[in-house]
Amino acid sequence: MNIDFFFQYLVAGITYGTIYAIVAIGFNIIYNTTGIINFAQGEFVMLGGMISVALHAFVPLPAAILAAVILTMMIGAIIEILFIRWLANPSVLRMIIITIGISILVRETALHIWGAGVRALPYFTGSEVSAISVGDVHVSPQVLWVIGISAVTVTGLNLFFGRTLPGRQMRACASNRNAARLCGINAKNMVTLSFVLSAGIGALAGCVVSPITYIQYDSGTPLAIKGFTVAILGGLGNSMAAVAAGLILGVLESFSIWIMPTAYKDVISISILLLILFVRPSGLFGNKEAAGLKEF
Amino acid sequence: MLRIKNLDAGYGKLKVLRRISMHVSPGEIVTIIGANGAGKTTLLHAISGLLKNRSGEILFDKREIGSLPPEKIVFLGCSLVPEGRQVFAAMTVLENLLLGSYVQQKQNRDYKVQDQLQKMYELFPRLKERRQQLAGTLSGGEQQMLAIARALMAKPKLIMMDEPSMGLAPLIVKDIFSIVGRLREEGNTVLLIEQNAKAALGIADRGYVLETGRIILEENADELLLNRDVQRAYLGRDLDSETKM
Ligand SMILES: Nc1ncnc2c1ncn2[C@@H]1O[C@H](COP(=O)(O)OP(=O)(O)O)[C@@H](O)[C@H]1O
Ligand SMILES: [Mg+2]
C-alpha cells in the first residue's frame, strides 16, 4: 500500500463524508421538530444542484447558487404547507408514505423539466485538472470548497440553534411541543421553518458537490440513503454525531474500493445501516441519556 | 379576569368536564382542589387552549378565548405552568427563561429582559446559581421553580399552576407555596390547582371543589377548610372517630 494513495483515498472519503453529513443534518432538523423522517431530503440536494446549473446559464456562479438555495427553501416551505401542515395527528407510517410520495413527485417533475441528462456546475475555482499538491498528494480545489462550505454550514447551524431566538424556539418545540406553545411559540411555523432550513442546506450541498459528482434528476435517492444511514449511525436527531458518522461512512466507502469493485460501494452503507439497526438502533454515539435529552 | 360559563370538555367521545362555571377576579388566589382524575388538568388545558374539544364560554379579560390556540392565549396574558413541570430538558436554565420572555419581547417595547431575569433570580436564587446548567439535570423542586419562573417571564395577568407540589418533598412544597403567596403580594392573580388541599386552601382566597368533572362546592378558602365534607374527603381527617372520642 502506497502512502500517497492512502491520503488520496482519505481525502476523497472526507469529501463524500461531509456531504453525507450535511444530508444527515437535514434529516435531523426535520426529525427533531416533527418526529418525521423526510424521505424527500435527497430531492432538496438534487434541486439545489439542478436549479443552480440552470440559472448559471444566465447569471454568475455565486448568484446562481444563492438563488438556487433560496428557491429550494421556498419549495421546501410550499411542500410543508401543502402536504404536512394541515394534517392533525399523522401516524408515522402515513408520514413515511407522504414524504416518499413527495420525493417521487419532485423527481418526476425534475425529469420533466431538465430531462435525464447529467449536469454539473463548473469548478468554483480552478478546474478539473488543477490541484493543490502537498508532496505527492493532490487535492482538487473543489474538495476544499466542499469541506470549507460544509464546515461553515455546520458552524452556522450551531450558532443558529444555540444563540438565536428562532433557533431556540425550534429546539424548544423539539424538546416539548406543548410547553413551547405555552411560551407563545407557533409550533406549526417552526415545522415550516425546519423544512425551509433543511431544504436550504440540502440545496447548498447539491451546489458545492455537483462539480465533483455531477447531478441528474434521480441523484437524490442514493444521497438520501447515505444521509439516512449516517443519521442513524450517529443517532437520529444528533447533528454533531452526524458529522462524525458522515466522515466514518465516507472514508469506509472510499477505502472499500481497495478490496471490492467500485460497483459494490453502495453495499457498504446499506450493510452498515442494517447492522446498526440490528445492533445499536440508538446509533454509535447514542445512549439512553442522550435519547432523553434530544438535541440538534 | 377569567370567567367560565357552562364549560364542557373531553377527549373524543369521553366527556370529562360538565357544565363548569367559575371565575377568578384580579388579585385573587383561587384554588381548585380535587382528587386524582377529577378533571383538574383537563380544565386548565381547556382554558389554556391545549385542549380543543371544548364548548361553553371562556372569557379572559371579557374576551372570548374558547376558540383560540394556546400560543395566542399566552399573548393575552394567561400563562399555564403545566403539570409535571415540562421544562425544556436539553436547554439551559437561562434559555428556558429567555423562551418564556418571548411573549413580552414580541409585543412590549418597554420590556427589559434583563430586569425581568433579575426579578426571577431574586425570587428563585437557586435558578441564578444554576443558570448555565441543563434544565433536565435540575432536581424536581428546582424544575418546578424554573417552570414557574418561565411562565412569569411573560408577565402574565393570570398565572395558572397545575399541581406544583406534585412529587416534591414536604420542605420544598412549603417553599413553592410561600412563593405563590409572594406572587399575590406583588399583585399577581393566581389560579392554583392542587391535590394537596390543605396547603392550597391555606394560601388561597377562594376555592372550588371539583369532583368527577363537576364543581360541587364554591366557598371562601377558610370556610372550605372548615367544611366537614371537604375535611373528610380531602384533608384526611377522620371525623367519625374524632366525634367518638
Ligand atoms: N389525553 C387523554 N385522553 C383521554 N382521556 C384522558 C386524557 N387525559 C385525561 N383523560 C381522562 O380525563 C379524566 C380527567 O383527567 P385529568 O384532567 O388529568 O385529572 P386530574 O388532573 O384531576 O388528575 C380522567 O378520567 C382521565 O383518564
Ligand atoms: Mg392533573
Side-chain angles (χ1 to χ4, degrees):
Chain A
M1 166 166 134
N2 180 317
I3 192 76
D4 295 331
F5 268 127
F6 177 85
F7 279 113
Q8 214 74 59
Y9 281 118
L10 188 66
V11 169
I14 292 172
T15 310
Y16 281 90
T18 49
I19 292 301
Y20 300 159
I22 295 287
V23 179
I25 290 173
F27 274 113
N28 284 339
I29 291 172
I30 292 181
Y31 175 77
N32 277 338
T33 41
T34 61
I36 299 172
I37 306 289
N38 171 31
F39 283 98
Q41 189 60 36
E43 267 52 51
F44 292 145
V45 183
M46 179 274 290
L47 280 176
M50 296 302 265
I51 295 175
S52 62
V53 172
L55 292 176
H56 187 44
F58 310 103
V59 296
L61 189 65
I65 292 174
L66 185 68
V69 169
I70 292 173
L71 277 173
T72 311
M73 285 170 129
M74 285 162 65
I75 294 171
I78 291 169
I79 285 175
E80 197 278 334
I81 291 167
L82 279 185
F83 299 109
I84 316 268
R85 194 181 181 89
W86 53 273
L87 300 171
N89 274 315
S91 67
V92 171
L93 184 62
R94 195 164 162 209
M95 290 314 311
I96 290 175
I97 293 169
I98 287 176
T99 58
I100 289 177
I102 293 169
S103 81
I104 294 171
L105 181 72
V106 173
R107 205 178 320 146
E108 295 305 311
T109 311
L111 175 63
H112 187 75
I113 297 175
W114 290 298
V118 172
R119 290 148 190 258
L121 284 176
Y123 274 51
F124 290 8
T125 49
S127 68
E128 271 125 288
V129 287
S130 65
I132 295 157
S133 306
V134 182
D136 283 334
V137 183
H138 307 290
V139 180
S140 148
Q142 192 61 28
V143 162
L144 299 183
W145 277 108
V146 170
I147 296 172
I149 288 182
S150 302
V152 169
T153 306
V154 172
T155 315
L157 280 174
N158 268 332
L159 287 176
F160 173 76
F161 284 121
R163 301 284 167 80
T164 70
L165 180 66
R168 283 182 174 144
Q169 291 187 324
M170 284 176 74
R171 281 162 65 208
C173 268
S175 168
N176 186 327
R177 187 184 171 99
N178 273 346
R181 298 183 75 189
L182 290 172
C183 289
I185 298 167
N186 186 325
K188 291 202 159 158
N189 288 352
M190 291 300 128
V191 174
T192 312
L193 185 57
S194 73
F195 271 80
V196 169
L197 211 56
S198 291
I201 64 166
L204 186 61
C207 294
V208 291
V209 81
S210 81
I212 300 177
T213 61
Y214 298 99
I215 209 133
Q216 66 199 89
Y217 77 101
D218 63 354
S219 299
T221 314
L223 275 173
I225 292 174
K226 302 285 169 60
F228 183 62
T229 306
V230 166
I232 298 283
L233 186 61
L236 210 51
N238 183 342
S239 285
M240 287 329 282
V243 174
L247 294 178
I248 291 173
L249 181 66
V251 170
L252 274 183
E253 255 187 21
S254 179
F255 282 110
S256 73
I257 297 174
W258 261 337
I259 48 172
M260 289 191 287
T262 323
Y264 291 114
K265 213 168 100 175
D266 292 346
V267 172
I268 299 275
S269 60
I270 300 288
S271 323
I272 289 181
L273 179 59
L274 292 178
L275 194 69
I276 283 286
L277 286 176
F278 279 123
V279 185
R280 260 189 91 89
S282 60
L284 273 190
F285 309 100
N287 55 34
K288 275 193 197 121
E289 215 171 309
L293 299 177
K294 192 164 64 174
E295 258 296 12
F296 286 93
Chain B
M1 174 159 293
L2 177 72
R3 185 169 286 280
I4 297 175
K5 279 185 209 152
N6 293 329
L7 172 71
D8 286 330
Y11 307 91
K13 284 210 172 101
L14 174 72
K15 263 199 167 185
V16 177
L17 300 179
R18 288 156 211 271
R19 302 181 62 81
I20 301 277
S21 292
M22 59 164 294
H23 71 276
V24 182
S25 307
E28 271 190 315
I29 297 187
V30 173
T31 186
I32 298 176
I33 57 176
N36 205 3
K40 305 184 295 298
T41 300
T42 306
L43 175 59
L44 286 193
H45 281 190
I47 299 172
S48 63
L50 286 174
L51 182 64
K52 271 201 212 138
N53 189 354
R54 55 201 162 157
S55 64
E57 230 178 39
I58 308 175
L59 297 174
F60 183 76
D61 268 352
K62 304 204 172 68
R63 187 173 161 183
E64 172 65 49
I65 58 168
S67 56
L68 297 180
E71 57 270 19
K72 291 254 167 62
I73 291 174
V74 205
F75 272 96
L76 298 176
C78 178
S79 286
L80 171 65
V81 182
E83 182 177 72
R85 345 211 198 281
Q86 312 209 13
V87 294
F88 302 120
M91 305 178 80
T92 65
V93 168
L94 178 61
E95 284 181 309
N96 271 269
L97 294 175
L98 290 176
L99 283 161
S101 70
Y102 167 59
V103 170
Q104 282 292 332
Q105 287 192 38
K106 194 166 171 192
Q107 64 179 6
N108 180 357
R109 284 191 168 187
D110 301 328
Y111 179 81
K112 299 265 188 314
V113 184
Q114 285 308 324
D115 293 356
Q116 190 67 9
L117 269 179
Q118 287 315 318
K119 266 195 204 165
M120 290 307 115
Y121 289 154
E122 228 170 85
L123 206 53
F124 308 97
R126 277 294 191 77
L127 296 184
K128 186 176 186 180
E129 287 164 32
R130 305 190 172 223
R131 59 188 183 275
Q132 296 301 349
Q133 202 171 315
L134 292 186
T137 65
L138 298 178
S139 73
E142 289 162 350
Q143 289 193 12
Q144 186 63 57
M145 292 177 193
L146 177 57
I148 295 173
R150 183 180 65 192
L152 288 172
M153 286 300 288
K155 290 187 152 187
K157 294 176 197 157
L158 170 68
I159 180 165
M160 308 189 286
M161 302 187 192
D162 195 345
E163 297 205 40
S165 75
M166 191 165 65
L168 300 181
L171 218 61
I172 308 203
V173 172
K174 230 180 110 190
D175 273 359
I176 301 268
F177 276 100
S178 79
I179 283 159
V180 176
R182 248 187 91 177
L183 291 181
R184 184 214 352 235
E185 284 162 31
E186 288 168 13
N188 291 286
T189 310
V190 183
L191 177 57
L192 175 66
I193 298 246
E194 264 300 338
Q195 267 192 74
N196 187 341
K198 196 169 168 188
L201 290 172
I203 57 162
D205 301 302
R206 274 187 316 116
Y208 294 88
V209 177
L210 187 67
E211 220 169 80
T212 54
R214 293 169 206 271
I215 285 184
I216 56 160
L217 263 178
E218 177 204 348
E219 207 94 62
N220 286 335
D222 24 0
E223 283 161 44
L224 279 179
L225 270 172
L226 297 174
N227 183 302
R228 291 177 68 88
D229 293 331
V230 173
Q231 288 188 342
R232 189 178 296 121
Y234 300 105
L235 301 174
R237 272 180 71 179
D238 191 347
L239 292 168
D240 297 332
S241 62
E242 275 175 35
T243 43
K244 265 178 224 149
M245 282 202 308

